[in-house]
Amino acid sequence: MKRLFRTALAALALILVVVLVRAIQFKPALKAFTPLAKVPLEVEALAQRLSANLKFPTRSYFEKEKNDPQPFRDFHASLRRQFPLVFSRLKVQTVGGFGLLIEWPGREAALKPILLLAHQDVVPVAPGTEKDWTQPAFSGAIEGGFIWGRGAIDDKSSLVGILEAAEKKLGEGFQPARSLFFAFGSDEETGGESAAEMAVMLKARGLTFETILDEGGFISEGIVPEVTPPVALVGIAEKGYVSVTLVANERPGHSSTPPKKTAIGRVSRAITRLEARPFPARLDGPMRSFLEKVGPEMRFSRRLALANLWLFGPLIVRGLSGSPASNASIRTTIAPTIFQSGEKENVLPAVARAVVNFRTMPGDSTETVLAHVREAIDDSAIELMASTHGEPSTVSDISSLGFTRLEQVIREIYPTAVVAPNLTVASTDSKHYGELSHSVLRFLPVRFGPMDLARFHGTNERINVQDYADCVRFYLRYLELLSMP
Ligand SMILES: [Zn+2]
C-alpha cells in the first residue's frame, strides 16, 4: 500500500515538473525584426482620394434587380483618374460585368506570381438606421480624424490602398521580380460571382500563385482576452456554409382530435435534439496555431494551461465554448434560422419545416453535417435537404513564403503586434481561389478595437486617417517584399 502511494506521488511530481517546464518554455517568439522607418506619405491627399471613392454607393443586393450599375461605372472612372499609371502601364481587364483584373508582369517569368484580392461592393445600410450615422453613409466625410462611410473598412480601404501603393511604386520605376495580380470583385457581399469568374480565367491560363492575400483578419486591439499587445489575426482557413432543411409530413386534421404525433411536434423535437448535440470541439488546425502564438503573451496560469493542452485541453475547450465568438472557432456551429408551419389555430398542418444554418470547420463537409443531423434527430421520417454555399477551405501552410513574409511586413509596420493565424468564420472572395494557391491568407491592415467590430456591415463605418496611411504603407512594403524571389 505504502509502495503504491509512493509510486503515485512520484508520478504526480513528474507530471508537475513536465507541466512547469513546458509552461516556462512557452514564451514569446524572439522579436527578430527591424521596424521599418515610416515612409513619408501625403496623408491628407490619401484621405481625400479614399473619401472620393466612398461616395459611390456600390451596393450589392441579393435581389439582383435592385443592383445599380451606375455607381460601379463612376467608381471605375474615379480610379482611372486617380491612378493613371496603374491604368496606363498595367494590363487591366474588366471581367463579369464590373470585376477588375489587373496584371503587373514581373521580371522573372519562372517565379510564381502573387495575387491580392479586394472587393468594390458594399452592403446596403439597414433600412431605418440611416439617421444613426454620425456622418451620412455615402458622404465620405473626413471628420474628427476619420474617413467616414460604407466601405471604409469593408473593403474599399484595401482596394484603394493597394492601388495607392502600386501607383507610387510605378512612379518610382519599381519593377517586381514576381508578377503581381490584383483581382477586385464587384459582388463579394452576395457570393462573389465576379471573383469566381476571375478565378476561372486565371486557372484557364494555368496560373498558380505563391500566395493570395484577401480581407478576413485585422489588427485587433483589446479584443483577444488577456493579451495586451495588438494581435494581427491572419485567417489561414475559412469556414464553409451549408443550410439543411428539415421537413415533417403528417396527416392534416382537426385540432379537436389530435394524433400522438404532429408535424410541428416532430420538427420541434428534431431541433431540440440537434441543439443538444453540438459538433465536437477541435483544438487542432488554425485554433492550435492561434493558441501557440497568443498563449505566451498571457499570464502564467493561462500559459501553464495552454502549454499543456495534453492535460488541460478539455478545460480550455470548456472556456472557449462559453462565448459565441470563440465557440465558432472550435467547432461547426448549428443555427436554426427558419421555422414554418400552420395557418389556422384549429387545423393541424400537414407540413412543418425548419432551416438550420451550419458553418462548417475545415475537416467537416456537407456530408458529415447531414450524417450528424440524421444521428442527432433520430427520426427517419423527417426529410433532410442540404444546400451548400461553400465547403470549408483547406488550411494554409504557415511555413509558406506567403505567411512568413506577410508576418515580416506586419511586424515592420505594426512593431508591437503579435501575428497569430486564426480561422475566418465569415465568408470572403478568397473561397473562389482555393485551388490556385496552397497559401491563401486573409488579413486587412487596419486596427480594430472592441467597439469597432459592430461597424462591420453596421452603423458608422469609418477608418482613422493615420491608420489608413499605415494601410498604404503596409501594401507598399507587401508589394516590394512579396514580389522578391
Ligand atoms: Zn468584405
Side-chain angles (χ1 to χ4, degrees), residues 103-148:
E103 182 177 350
W104 190 348
R107 292 190 312 269
E108 296 177 35
L111 293 174
K112 274 194 187 182
I114 303 285
L115 172 62
L116 287 95
L117 307 178
H119 62 91
Q120 308 168 39
D121 61 317
V122 297
V123 289
V125 172
T129 64
E130 295 87 351
K131 59 178 186 327
D132 301 331
W133 285 67
T134 307
Q135 302 291 337
F138 294 99
S139 65
I142 304 177
E143 217 20 86
F146 293 93
I147 312 159
W148 299 75

Side-chain angles (χ1 to χ4, degrees), residues 119 154-155 188-189 215:
H119 62 91
D154 184 13
D155 141 83
E188 188 271 348
E189 301 291 0
E215 61 174 343

